[in-house]
Amino acid sequence: MDENNFIFSIINQYKYPIVFVNNNHIIEYLNTAAISKYSKRGINDLLHKSIFDCHNPASKSKILEYHKKFIDGENEFFIQINRNNQRVYMVAVRDKAGNLTGYYERFEDINNPVDR
């Protein structure tokens, strides 16, 4: 199995949504959980769209702030505890050379110690 297929297989088994966004803020990848979550909300065409198309102006401002800090070397930010009682983080994605390639949101279930 090649490295990309191996990694995608693992990411698609993760029970929380993963939406990878590139440095131009374009959605490049959704794992199986993300596709399911957003299709249940009637949103089926996120791929290759701007992340800002589905966020309000305040969220856009925060995303841009975190992205700038990622460029400056930060790797992760706590965003909030959502209505599903999950911690939400924004996480930098870097290539093997350490260059920022984009970012994604990471979820942790507060009530499930397995996720900690």
Side-chain angles (χ1 to χ4, degrees), residues 73-109:
E74 295 290 334
N75 286 312
E76 182 175 275
F77 294 98
F78 172 76
I79 306 296
Q80 66 179 352
I81 295 177
N82 67 16
R83 66 178 174 263
N84 296 322
N85 210 23
Q86 298 167 333
R87 290 183 197 94
V88 181
Y89 298 85
M90 192 166 153
V91 182
V93 176
R94 299 185 187 281
D95 64 17
K96 290 178 182 178
N99 300 309
L100 183 68
T101 61
Y103 53 91
Y104 69 96
E105 281 186 333
R106 179 169 58 86
F107 298 82
E108 292 179 354
D109 190 341

Side-chain angles (χ1 to χ4, degrees), residues 41-78:
R41 293 183 180 179
I43 305 169
N44 295 311
D45 60 349
L46 291 174
L47 200 58
H48 307 300
K49 302 282 173 76
S50 172
I51 192 71
F52 302 130
D53 290 347
C54 54
H55 283 81
N56 65 38
S59 293
K60 177 181 179 178
S61 175
K62 280 295 199 189
I63 291 168
L64 290 171
E65 174 188 335
Y66 295 144
H67 185 255
K68 174 156 181 6
K69 290 180 179 181
F70 288 155
I71 291 169
D72 293 340
E74 295 290 334
N75 286 312
E76 182 175 275
F77 294 98
F78 172 76

